[in-house]
Structure formats: C-alpha cells, structure tokens
Amino acid sequence: MSVDNIDPKQAFSVRRLQEVEDIANDQNGNDDEISEIAEQVAAQFASDSIAPYLITGLVRLAEFFGLLAIAYIIHRMYVSDGSLPSFFYIYGGVLGAFFTISFIQALDGYDII
C-alpha cells in the first residue's frame, strides 16, 4: 500500500490512530506506565505554589483597603453629619493608608521567609 493511495479520512480516524498506538505499545512493551523518577519530577513541576511577591502584594492591598474602610467608618460615625463625605477627609484617609503601607514596606514589615 503506497502513501499516495491512503485516504486521509481513514488514515487519521480515531480507530486507525488507536490501532497504530496499540502497535507501537506492543513493539515497545509500553503499558502506559512511567518510572518513579519521572513521576517525582512531574510532581515537582505540577505542584501549585504561590510566589512570595504575590502574597505580599495581596497583603498590602488588603491592608490598604482595610485602613481605608476604617477611615471611612470613623468619618461616618464621628465626623460626618450625615451629608456627603468631606473630600479632604477621604483624601486624608487615602494618603494615610498609602503612607502606612509605605512605612511598613520601608521597615521590611512584609518580608516573607
């Protein structure tokens, strides 16, 4: 059977590919098993890990929004008379949260070992 006479629809059908794979496995003696070393190496690369920089970034972000929420709650409970919030107080809350996060970062407070 020459290569020119093979119908592409039959040559690459699921049944034909399974037959070729079975023939290759029989010739190699492969039973779809891998060695223990290959499994260990594959497990090392498959493990889900989170980079420390991502964790510190998420902690900074959560702390920033937490400080912002605290500033807003204090403003609503003690400073505001129920009308629209003062923009100077909002800017102060944002700047205070930013400087707090910057100060903690400068002191290596987000250092993860």
Side-chain angles (χ1 to χ4, degrees):
M1 191 165 163
S2 70
V3 178
D4 295 334
N5 295 336
I6 297 175
D7 183 23
K9 292 181 182 178
Q10 292 178 354
F12 295 105
S13 67
V14 175
R15 185 173 48 94
R16 179 66 181 147
L17 290 175
Q18 184 65 37
E19 290 173 3
V20 171
E21 184 178 342
D22 291 341
I23 293 169
N25 285 340
D26 290 342
Q27 290 176 352
N28 294 334
N30 186 2
D31 296 332
D32 292 335
E33 293 181 13
I34 58 175
S35 68
E36 284 185 40
I37 295 173
E39 287 179 4
Q40 290 174 357
V41 170
Q44 287 177 351
F45 291 111
S47 66
D48 295 331
S49 61
I50 299 175
Y53 295 114
L54 181 62
I55 293 172
T56 57
L58 291 174
V59 168
R60 284 184 207 135
L61 196 61
E63 191 168 15
F64 178 79
F65 284 117
L67 290 171
L68 213 59
I70 290 170
Y72 181 73
I73 290 170
I74 290 172
H75 172 69
R76 292 298 290 172
M77 291 179 72
Y78 296 110
V79 179
S80 176
D81 59 356
S83 63
L84 293 175
S86 170
F87 288 110
F88 291 117
Y89 197 84
I90 292 173
Y91 292 143
V94 171
L95 282 176
F98 174 75
F99 286 135
T100 302
I101 303 300
S102 300
F103 182 70
I104 294 172
Q105 176 64 35
L107 295 177
D108 286 334
Y110 295 112
D111 191 22
I112 296 178
I113 297 173

